[in-house]
Amino acid sequence: MSSGTVGLMRGLVTTGSLDGVDVGEIRSRFRSWLTGEAASLRRIDPPTVDFNGRVEAVRQIQRRLYDAGWLRCGWPVAVGGFGGDARHRAVIYDELGRVGLALRGPCEHLEIMAEPLVRHWRGLDAATFSAFLRGDELWCQGFSEPDAGSDLASLRTRAVRDGDAFRISGEKIWTSWAGNANRCLLLARTGSRDARHRTLSAFFVDLSSPGIEVRRVRQGNGSDELAQVLFDDVEVPADRLVGGEGDGFAIALDVLGCERSSFAWLRHAALLARADELVRTTPVLRSGVDDAQLGDLLLDLYAVRSAAAEHVERLGAGAFPGPEAAVVKVLLTRAEQQLYDTAYRTFGRALPLGSVVDTPTSMSTWQEEYLFSRAVSIYGGTRQVQLTTIARFVLGLPTGSRP
Amino acid sequence: MTGIAADATMDLVDAAERILRASSGTDALARCEWEPVADLDDVDALAALGALFRAQGRSLAVTPALGLLAGMALRGSPCCAGLDASAYGDRVRFLAVGGVSGRRIVLDVPDRGVCAADAEAVSEDAGGVALEPELVQRLSLPKSALEPLLLSAGEAEAARGRMDALVRVAISHELLGVCDALLRSAVDYAAARIQFGQPIGSFQAVQHLLADAAVDARSLDAACRAAVARPLAADGTDQMALYLKALAGRAARRVVQATLQTFGAIGFTWEHDHHRFARRAMTLDAITDTTDELSRKIGQRARGQAVWRSVTSY
């Protein structure tokens, strides 16, 4: 075990890896550590509409958790982790949420793109990955394009082989956190567009490369984590190809599989923490939310927790979740929208409503999150795409005349 | 549904379903080699319980399993259990689960305790004849027919908690079976029924209707599996069973609606078995609190305390 191990982590592992260590053991060790640290960690994360401020706060929390060893649990030793798998990570997120400290914002990418990169990119070394885990670096995922949203396989960004490198040109959009990111897992076309998903390839690109321009997009909720990323003849070394040429779509599916399992788990912990706050610290009793509506919200949270847990289990056991994980994404969307519907009903006219505030307050944060929650049925595959996936690949309904 | 990994649980469910389609009553239970769970920590027995009730929901078989289970939890021996008892005047109304004829009835009477009574003392309560009397009947009996207490109200507390949890877990599995069967049958129908020159299942409106219902069924599946994967005697079981049955009732209601919409008018006929599944779901919903009662209870309990403890208590 590496020298980064401190405090309660010490002695947990004798064989040099967490592989096979009971997750309950990690949970209870982390819980005792967190008992002493939660208050000071919570002070780092003030609610803020300013996205840069939020990114900085999340980084500080990540650093503390990494330095104490916890964020290294569940990642292979070869890339700087302590071994174990998604199940070991899941208990950490669960315990964080329990004390109102769910990891949100940019470090959500830990549970979206990291696992596919770890498994598919031979070039990933411990130094690079540790920078990401510790929050020193921020990574993003360049998939969507102006003409390729739900229909990802029609994307146009081109990567052309040029000796020991690829030259990449094109335009990505809705790239979350690109404005703060150092690297991008990019999906580009390395062959004929007619071949659709069969000629897509994935690259691990430095956003500091010459020819890349990032333009932030301010969203309807007021924050600006989305961005447009332009690539103008950008040179990317061939060893930054993730998987092989033409493996891009399969890797994208693995990314989606993670988004619908371990990310959904991470996110549900954040929602539970917010629901906790809503119920404990606000005048729900006096609001228009009755017991049955509150019960319905808790059932939605229970439903996504149950389904996500099952898929984290499968991911941990080795397999990336397939189309059946679309169920988890639909459940997550339901729970998140239900939570913020409940918040809206609870606070009503106490929210800033039409006003745009400069100095964030608890109410403006609820409103900002409420507005964001309206769009959660769009990102990561729209609700309609998820339902079509379930209908065709889980239920086996016929294709008919669909294009 | 395809897409569910073939596993030991599904093998058990399929085997039980085959038996329950071919036989009924105590005979079917004997052929399944099923006995009511006596030890709440026996996870193999819990898995068998889940499989049997899921198969019962799929096949709409009628067995006294629920009554035997409740009686076991209440009294420590298999018998017919009367649930949700309430007193009015000099009589006690209750839902009898498992057939009553020739059996002793064990009844948990509010403010009194657990009593036994002879089947001869009961009469049909107002509200029509039960279609599935071996499954559940609405009955009443005179208070004078109640025999001396088996357990006082205080002593009954623990037994009642154990029974409610077990019954709720069992019913949730049966409701999952109802969802399985309805979805399976609606998907087959949507693939075969041609309108506008195409199978209706190829239309996105129909696909999304069924997919949305499948989301409810799949989350219930995950919750059911988690429920029987650990000992039920552990802390938080009562709370978990409350959540599970509320989720099950909600899922079943949504699946019943979406599948009827898929079948169209043919599904709304007496010959079609859709209404039998719908009725079974309503009957199961009524036992040990309806979904709406449970949702209210969940919301009420959560106020002023940690949601975390409520949702993740097990």
Side-chain angles (χ1 to χ4, degrees), chain B residues 144-163:
Chain B
S144 58
L146 292 173
E147 289 166 16
L149 291 178
L150 295 168
L151 297 171
S152 71
E155 293 166 333
E157 189 88 19
R160 189 186 308 132
R162 197 164 60 231
M163 180 188 71

Side-chain angles (χ1 to χ4, degrees), chain A residues 99-288:
Chain A
V99 297
L101 254 172
L103 292 176
R104 304 189 66 169
C107 56
E108 290 177 345
H109 265 170
L110 278 178
E111 289 306 335
I112 296 177
M113 55 189 285
E115 180 109 30
L117 269 171
V118 165
R119 294 209 213 170
H120 294 298
W121 187 36
R122 286 182 302 276
L124 187 60
D125 57 36
T128 309
F129 192 65
S130 300
F132 181 39
L133 272 186
R134 190 168 184 265
D136 297 339
E137 282 199 8
L138 214 157
W139 299 356
C140 65
Q141 165 202 331
F143 282 13
S144 292
E145 295 184 6
D147 288 326
S150 292
D151 183 12
L152 188 62
S154 72
L155 64 83
R156 291 168 191 273
T157 295
R158 291 199 61 80
V160 179
R161 187 104 198 187
D162 180 15
D164 282 344
F166 285 86
R167 306 201 77 85
I168 298 181
S169 292
E171 177 183 350
K172 293 289 168 181
I173 193 153
W174 320 131
T175 310
S176 301
W177 311 306
N180 303 77
N182 312 78
R183 327 252 199 172
C184 179
L185 176 63
L186 179 79
L187 215 51
R189 192 169 293 287
T190 44
S192 151
R193 190 155 175 259
D194 296 337
R196 289 181 54 82
H197 62 273
R198 288 184 293 279
T199 50
L200 298 181
S201 302
F203 297 89
F204 187 66
V205 179
D206 290 345
L207 284 175
S208 57
S209 311
I212 296 180
E213 186 190 346
V214 178
R215 297 176 185 163
R216 285 178 185 254
V217 176
R218 193 174 184 197
Q219 304 129 217
N221 65 326
S223 70
D224 61 355
E225 69 259 40
L226 298 183
Q228 185 183 25
V229 188
L230 307 172
F231 297 82
D232 181 13
D233 199 30
V234 177
E235 186 180 311
V236 175
D239 62 8
R240 294 301 190 88
L241 180 66
V242 180
E245 254 187 77
D247 290 345
F249 199 73
I251 288 163
L253 288 182
D254 288 347
V255 169
L256 290 176
C258 288
E259 182 158 7
R260 295 164 191 175
S261 54
S262 57
F263 162 75
W265 177 266
L266 173 72
R267 183 94 183 162
H268 111 284
L271 297 182
L272 272 170
R274 284 302 261 162
D276 214 29
E277 206 174 323
L278 182 69
V279 174
R280 270 188 306 128
T281 64
T282 61
V284 180
L285 277 170
R286 281 181 282 119
S287 77

Side-chain angles (χ1 to χ4, degrees), chain A residues 32-89:
Chain A
S32 3
W33 180 84
L34 205 50
T35 307
E37 303 286 325
S40 81
L41 284 169
R42 260 197 301 267
R43 278 195 296 275
I44 298 175
D45 190 19
T48 166
V49 186
D50 168 35
F51 196 71
N52 293 323
R54 200 178 301 177
V55 168
E56 204 32 60
V58 169
R59 278 190 166 152
Q60 282 183 41
I61 293 173
Q62 244 179 296
R63 200 161 299 154
R64 291 267 297 275
L65 292 170
Y66 179 92
D67 290 345
W70 301 111
L71 279 191
R72 298 171 73 177
C73 296
W75 297 105
V77 174
V79 291
F82 290 154
D85 55 54
R87 292 167 286 199
H88 297 84
R89 309 195 298 265

Side-chain angles (χ1 to χ4, degrees), chain B residues 218-306:
Chain B
R218 289 291 295 114
S219 65
L220 176 59
D221 187 3
C224 279
R225 282 166 194 260
V228 295
R230 72 200 80 200
L232 277 187
D235 279 354
T237 292
D238 296 355
Q239 185 84 341
M240 179 277 287
L242 212 68
Y243 269 82
L244 184 66
K245 184 169 185 281
L247 190 74
R250 203 173 76 162
R253 231 180 266 184
R254 290 174 181 171
V255 168
V256 162
Q257 180 59 44
T259 52
L260 177 63
Q261 190 66 24
T262 304
F263 291 126
I266 194 70
F268 191 56
T269 57
W270 194 258
E271 295 101 305
H272 200 285
D273 59 11
H274 184 276
H275 74 94
R276 297 184 56 223
F277 285 102
R279 279 168 210 278
R280 175 67 66 95
M282 291 173 78
T283 302
L284 296 173
D285 191 43
I287 304 170
T288 59
D289 296 332
T290 65
T291 291
D292 295 298
E293 287 162 345
L294 294 171
S295 295
R296 271 199 295 281
K297 208 174 270 188
I298 287 167
Q300 192 194 357
R301 281 191 189 179
R303 288 187 193 277
Q305 62 143 310

